[in-house]
Amino acid sequence: MTADLGRQVGDAELVARFRRDPDEFTAVYDRYFPDVYRYAVGRLDVQAGEDIAAETFCVAFAQRDRFDHQRGGLRPWLFGIATNLMARHRRKEARHYKALIRTGAATSVEGHESRVVTSLAARRLQPQLLKALAKLNQGERDVVLLVALGQLSHEEVAQTLGIAGGTVRSRLSRARTKFQKMIDQEEFHG
């Protein structure tokens, strides 16, 4: 199957095809790799992101018979795999944000942190937002970054993380509150 044909069929048809013929899984890769790659690279660094994106599709291929389209689409399933693979990087991620804050490098970073912060607020708030990201619990950070970097809908985030839609909304609300408090403190003290 060509990549163009893969784009014309829905996820259910792709699943049926790759279950009959494992070579058809390439259409899943062709369709979703760019999104997973952007999310992983934005969440980690380029090297780790590339590794996670590639590993996501290796895991998905190995577990392709477990995919249940009744529970959601391929995109959220793949983002869920990627998010789970990033779990081992989570402590490193939080330490990285804290190190940027400590060293003052946050204002000059033009890598993945810059893209995260730019998508959340104005550039002048970057140090405060990095502090806020570091203070979020892992569940809140996952939701914020899936929305900001992965550009997933609330429903897709819920499917990705295996949580209720209300939980997604409450985690986003708590994260926004924490971000706002950091901004308000800076405006008051800054």
Side-chain angles (χ1 to χ4, degrees):
M1 171 174 31
T2 66
D4 291 335
L5 182 58
R7 293 194 188 286
Q8 295 172 358
V9 300
D11 283 355
E13 178 62 23
L14 282 178
V15 171
R17 288 178 183 188
F18 71 64
R19 285 197 172 138
R20 285 190 305 269
D21 180 1
D23 290 338
E24 297 290 331
F25 193 81
T26 58
V28 174
Y29 177 88
D30 291 343
R31 183 181 290 183
Y32 293 112
F33 183 81
D35 293 339
V36 172
Y37 174 82
R38 275 191 302 276
Y39 171 64
V41 167
R43 182 87 191 254
L44 302 169
D45 57 43
V46 173
Q47 183 61 50
E50 287 174 352
D51 293 345
I52 292 293
E55 190 175 352
T56 296
F57 286 88
C58 289
V59 169
F61 182 79
Q63 296 179 359
R64 68 190 179 280
D65 291 333
R66 289 196 207 164
F67 175 75
D68 180 4
H69 66 85
Q70 299 296 328
R71 295 183 59 205
L74 284 170
R75 187 172 188 253
W77 180 61
L78 292 166
F79 273 89
I81 292 170
T83 299
N84 288 335
L85 291 172
M86 286 183 232
R88 68 182 126 202
H89 295 282
R90 287 179 172 162
R91 284 190 297 254
K92 179 181 174 186
E93 178 184 48
R95 283 192 307 266
H96 180 72
Y97 290 140
K98 289 175 183 175
L100 286 172
I101 294 162
R102 263 193 324 275
T103 63
T107 57
S108 64
V109 172
E110 292 298 326
H112 70 282
E113 293 86 6
S114 179
R115 288 189 303 278
V116 171
V117 173
T118 300
S119 71
L120 295 173
R123 186 173 291 275
R124 71 177 182 81
L125 298 175
Q126 191 174 24
Q128 293 78 24
L129 290 171
L130 286 171
K131 286 178 189 176
L133 275 172
K135 288 184 178 187
L136 295 179
N137 68 43
Q138 194 57 53
E140 293 163 348
R141 190 178 311 124
D142 284 343
V143 169
V144 167
L145 294 174
L146 282 166
V147 170
L149 291 174
Q151 298 180 346
L152 271 66
S153 69
H154 291 188
E155 182 179 306
E156 289 175 319
V157 171
Q159 291 172 7
T160 297
L161 298 176
I163 58 177
T167 304
V168 171
R169 288 186 292 281
S170 67
R171 287 180 182 178
L172 278 174
S173 178
R174 284 194 306 270
R176 285 183 188 121
T177 299
K178 289 177 182 180
F179 285 139
Q180 190 61 50
K181 284 181 184 177
M182 293 291 293
I183 291 166
D184 290 346
Q185 286 175 350
E186 179 62 27
E187 287 177 358
F188 180 74
H189 297 295

